[in-house]
Amino acid sequence: MSLGTNRSFRPGELWLDDRGVHINAHGGGILLHNETYFWFGEHKIAGEAGNLAHVGVHVYSSRDLYNWKDEGIALAVSDDPQSPIMRGCILERPKVVFNTRRNKFVMWFHLEPKGAGYTGSLSGAAVADKVTGPYQFLRSFRPNAGVWPENVPAETKRPLAAEELARLDKMELGGAPRPYYPKQLLFRRDFAGGQMARDMTLFVDDNGSAYHIYASEGNGTLHISQLTDDFLSPAGKFIRVLPGRFNEAPAMLKWRGPYFLFASDCTGWSPNPARLLAADSIFGNWEELGNPCLGTGAQITNTFESQPTFILPVQGKPEAFIFMADRWNPQNAIDGRYVWLPVEFYHGVPMIAWHDEWNLGFFDKK
Ligand code: GAL
């Protein structure tokens, strides 16, 4: 693993890997393993076609976060038409965690079967013995089938009646201005078959428990769902977070007790104002704190022209977190850019401001 010549982050610029190619790891996340960072993300191709998965999940490694070595394709799409991850599917926001109990690397992602738009709303899981893969695809499914959320009143814990289903079928759930959102119907409709799961992240807590955090219920409601000890399945315990608030692109940060979730509004590839949510415990009462962006005009209204994907704790530096976001380019997907900014705490609340160029020394100055 060679140390290259980059010594800073330049958000929104081309970020070249060790071969001089713009890094291709969109909607990604980073795993620190044996003092090396591994960045996993969506490999995109040129043009609008690049919004579909033609290659798979790309992985890069780095010791210093500035210089990245191409480690190849960690999870490849399949040429088998029977495979759920067939070439041409939608495979988004892959995240990898390390399961110390089994000594396995576990990847989760948002999966939409080929040709069905975003209607599938599935989660995919894959596993590997080696951090860079190859990852073996395990299955795709909707999480939490047959499980009621922890934080709903007992009287709502019943599947939809026929007339409620008929009412729901007549409603338009997407689009702006947003119509009435049926807060108590969607999770009940999906009880038997599993909950919808789109934008997602993974989070491993200090005690080793892992959580899958995904946009559910027609993107209107986030779910935080505990994983089994091997991290391969939902453990059967989940909560709903801010029903009807349409938070997506979740990214988790924990610092000195409280949990913070960065998220976005729901406007497809177009950026929008970010949101910050907080709770004292992961299954606690999540409240919305507002927009975490500092600055003026569009910096605040479009989150520095980006959408969150992950929060990276920097090794060896307390209180050092990097906000990772994507500046999408849906017309030429491969040219999506990376917006990484240092998290700054004000009275214990994480916020972000723009920097044309910065380095990890930023965290030493405080
Ligand atoms: C965004 C989402 C992306 C992708 C896109 C498709 O809202 O965060 O991951 O799904 O919509 O339009």
Side-chain angles (χ1 to χ4, degrees), residues 42 92-93 110 118 199 248-249 265-269 307 328:
E42 305 160 26
E92 293 181 339
R93 296 182 178 270
H110 167 202
Y118 280 86
D199 278 10
E248 60 172 18
D265 193 0
C266 218
T267 54
W269 301 117
Q307 189 182 27
W328 305 113

Side-chain angles (χ1 to χ4, degrees), residues 38-342:
F38 293 90
W39 177 0
F40 297 84
E42 305 160 26
H43 179 106
K44 306 243 189 204
I45 65 167
E48 275 182 47
N51 298 315
L52 304 178
H54 297 274
V55 177
V57 177
H58 209 134
V59 57
Y60 297 82
S61 67
S62 174
R63 304 282 292 217
D64 63 5
L65 293 173
Y66 308 122
N67 297 283
W68 292 92
K69 177 173 179 239
D70 186 353
E71 300 278 3
I73 300 304
L75 172 71
V77 295
S78 170
D79 282 319
D80 174 0
Q82 301 304 317
S83 168
I85 57 167
M86 183 192 175
R87 195 181 304 276
C89 67
I90 293 173
L91 196 167
E92 293 181 339
R93 296 182 178 270
K95 304 288 178 298
V96 173
V97 288
F98 180 57
N99 187 273
T100 47
R101 292 181 194 90
R102 302 279 171 94
N103 216 24
K104 300 268 186 208
F105 298 90
V106 179
M107 179 189 291
W108 284 68
F109 48 90
H110 167 202
L111 180 69
E112 299 290 346
K114 184 177 177 179
Y118 280 86
T119 57
S121 310
L122 306 179
S123 298
V127 69
D129 291 322
K130 214 177 132 225
V131 60
T132 51
Y135 284 74
Q136 183 202 341
F137 174 73
L138 296 176
R139 64 198 175 111
S140 60
F141 63 108
R142 284 188 171 191
N144 289 312
V147 180
W148 291 113
E150 300 280 307
N151 60 344
V152 296
E155 63 272 19
T156 63
K157 293 184 180 176
R158 53 192 167 86
L160 287 191
E163 65 272 16
E164 287 173 310
L165 200 53
R167 182 147 64 90
L168 192 55
D169 281 345
K170 287 199 207 91
M171 285 181 192
E172 259 188 65
L173 296 177
R178 227 152 252 156
Y180 165 73
Y181 179 74
K183 285 186 192 169
Q184 304 305 345
L185 298 188
L186 292 169
F187 75 92
R188 293 170 49 213
R189 177 196 66 187
D190 294 336
F191 172 75
Q195 299 294 327
M196 297 172 74
R198 292 192 185 130
D199 278 10
M200 58 144 280
T201 194
L202 298 178
F203 174 73
V204 182
D205 210 341
D206 305 331
N207 64 3
S209 300
Y211 298 86
H212 176 210
I213 302 159
Y214 54 88
S216 192
E217 303 181 35
N219 285 345
T221 304
L222 284 177
H223 288 182
I224 300 181
S225 168
Q226 189 161 354
L227 297 181
T228 47
D229 283 352
D230 59 10
F231 297 176
L232 297 178
S233 315
K237 190 174 177 197
F238 77 104
I239 60 162
R240 305 170 73 216
V241 175
L242 298 174
R245 186 62 180 120
F246 284 83
N247 286 307
E248 60 172 18
M252 180 77 105
L253 180 160
K254 183 186 187 187
W255 176 237
R256 291 199 172 140
Y259 297 76
F260 297 96
L261 266 177
F262 287 76
S264 73
D265 193 0
C266 218
T267 54
W269 301 117
S270 310
N272 55 53
R275 289 105 180 252
L276 181 66
L277 284 51
D280 286 333
S281 66
I282 198 154
F283 280 155
N285 290 319
W286 285 86
E287 59 172 318
E288 189 171 339
L289 301 185
N291 188 328
C293 299
L294 298 166
T296 53
Q299 295 183 317
I300 296 176
T301 55
N302 71 18
T303 314
F304 315 105
E305 221 184 312
S306 71
Q307 189 182 27
T309 184
F310 197 71
I311 305 288
L312 174 67
V314 180
Q315 69 171 324
K317 288 183 190 280
E319 208 176 290
F321 297 89
I322 299 178
F323 169 86
M324 293 170 54
D326 293 282
R327 185 173 287 174
W328 305 113
N329 184 344
Q331 282 73 44
N332 186 22
I334 195 172
D335 194 32
R337 304 298 175 90
Y338 308 106
V339 173
W340 290 15
L341 294 167

